[in-house]
Amino acid sequence: MSEKEISRAVIRRLPRYFRFLGELRDAGVEKISSQDLSLIMHVTASQIRQDLNNFGGFGQQGYGYNVKYLYDEIGKILGLDQEHNVIIIGAGNLGSALAGYGNFANRGFIVKGAFDVNPALVGQYIRNVPIMPMSELPDFIEKNNIDIAVIAIPKTQAVGAAATVVSCGIKAIWNFSHVDLEVPDDVIVESVHLSESLMRLSYNLNRVKEGEEPDTGN
Ligand code: NAI
């Protein structure tokens, strides 16, 4: 089956498989059965087999899954076998937290620079990430082979900033501003809304209080 035919639900679950397999690999586990993976991930073993069968030949009957191989293959599907250069638009609370989070680099996402309209921030560093004025953005994107822009500015400004990064050739936007961005078909936007996650938590808290099982979405 080609990757295009794999359901979006399966693709959405891959980062979670990748995370658990990474932990197993780091703990020195070489192989794991779908049953054992099921216990760790709280997903049924049949769901795991169905999901991973989409990609063909990861598991072997009676042997289980080779953890490192599966981790590497899922990493390739997720594009994590290559490095991605990232810029952050907005070096406020959120932008600074993202720029200062060292673990993105371990996954191959290298934050090269942050951009802000506030002159008081320009020239400062968040860890080793320089904060630059927006006027330097086009040149920086071109010279540093940037492929992902993070948008962490007020929503009233986000549409304009997205148009600017797209005009500079950016094809992937990680959008934290609470606005839907209209972009050309060849540009991908992944929007993150922490408040939606918090609402799911609140929903599940209510379910648990009423004696029901939380809806984990698995
Ligand atoms: P903040 O006020 O601390 O930082 C915003 C920064 O953007 C400031 O440094 C400001 O100078 C800069 N800025 C404003 N207009 C700009 C422009 N046109 N170009 C470049 N830089 C510009 O705000 P905070 O807390 O960092 O939040 C930033 C955005 O992220 C807000 O829209 C907020 O609603 C959103 N947010 C989203 C979350 C999510 O889960 N999606 C979570 C937290 C914040």
Side-chain angles (χ1 to χ4, degrees):
M1 185 183 275
S2 78
E3 275 177 43
K4 286 205 175 75
E5 291 168 80
I6 297 165
S7 78
R8 293 181 71 173
V10 176
I11 300 285
R12 255 186 249 119
R13 285 195 284 270
L14 288 184
R16 191 154 181 271
Y17 283 113
F18 187 77
R19 179 161 56 83
F20 278 93
L21 288 162
E23 283 170 13
L24 288 166
R25 187 202 59 164
D26 293 347
V29 177
E30 286 177 11
K31 62 176 185 171
I32 188 158
S33 65
S34 49
Q35 283 81 2
D36 288 346
L37 198 51
S38 148
L39 288 175
I40 303 170
M41 291 184 65
H42 304 293
V43 183
T44 64
S46 80
Q47 163 120 79
I48 289 174
R49 284 194 294 269
Q50 266 178 34
D51 282 355
L52 300 181
N53 276 348
N54 276 300
F55 306 100
F58 282 165
Q60 280 171 27
Q61 203 78 37
Y63 174 88
Y65 296 103
N66 177 316
V67 170
K68 185 178 179 312
Y69 176 75
L70 189 51
Y71 175 85
D72 288 345
E73 290 302 306
I74 292 179
K76 280 184 209 161
I77 292 164
L78 294 173
L80 301 175
D81 54 334
Q82 317 146 32
E83 284 197 344
H84 297 286
N85 290 332
V86 178
I87 50 163
I88 298 179
I89 315 293
N93 290 308
L94 182 60
S96 300
L98 293 169
Y101 181 56
N103 227 10
F104 289 138
N106 298 340
R107 292 271 182 258
F109 298 98
I110 316 297
V111 180
K112 293 282 188 177
F115 291 84
D116 205 289
V117 288
N118 182 349
L121 294 176
V122 168
Q124 293 189 25
Y125 282 77
I126 310 155
R127 286 202 179 188
N128 58 344
V129 176
I131 305 176
M132 293 164 277
M134 290 296 282
S135 56
E136 289 180 17
L137 185 75
D139 204 34
F140 190 88
I141 288 177
E142 197 189 325
K143 291 203 172 115
N144 291 276
N145 200 17
I146 303 296
D147 42 19
I148 299 177
V150 179
I151 297 207
I153 56 178
K155 68 176 181 181
T156 52
Q157 305 294 312
V159 171
T164 303
V165 296
V166 167
S167 74
C168 296
I170 291 289
K171 298 289 181 208
I173 296 176
W174 200 22
N175 174 38
F176 284 83
S177 297
H178 297 293
V179 64
D180 290 335
L181 298 175
E182 303 275 336
V183 292
D185 286 346
D186 63 342
V187 177
I188 312 138
V189 177
E190 176 71 30
S191 292
V192 180
H193 297 296
L194 295 180
S195 48
E196 289 178 10
S197 175
L198 198 52
M199 285 177 219
R200 279 193 293 278
L201 183 68
S202 149
Y203 167 75
N204 277 323
L205 182 61
N206 281 345
R207 282 179 71 98
V208 169
K209 277 184 187 163
E210 285 163 18
E212 292 173 45
E213 284 282 312
D215 176 0
T216 58
N218 291 323

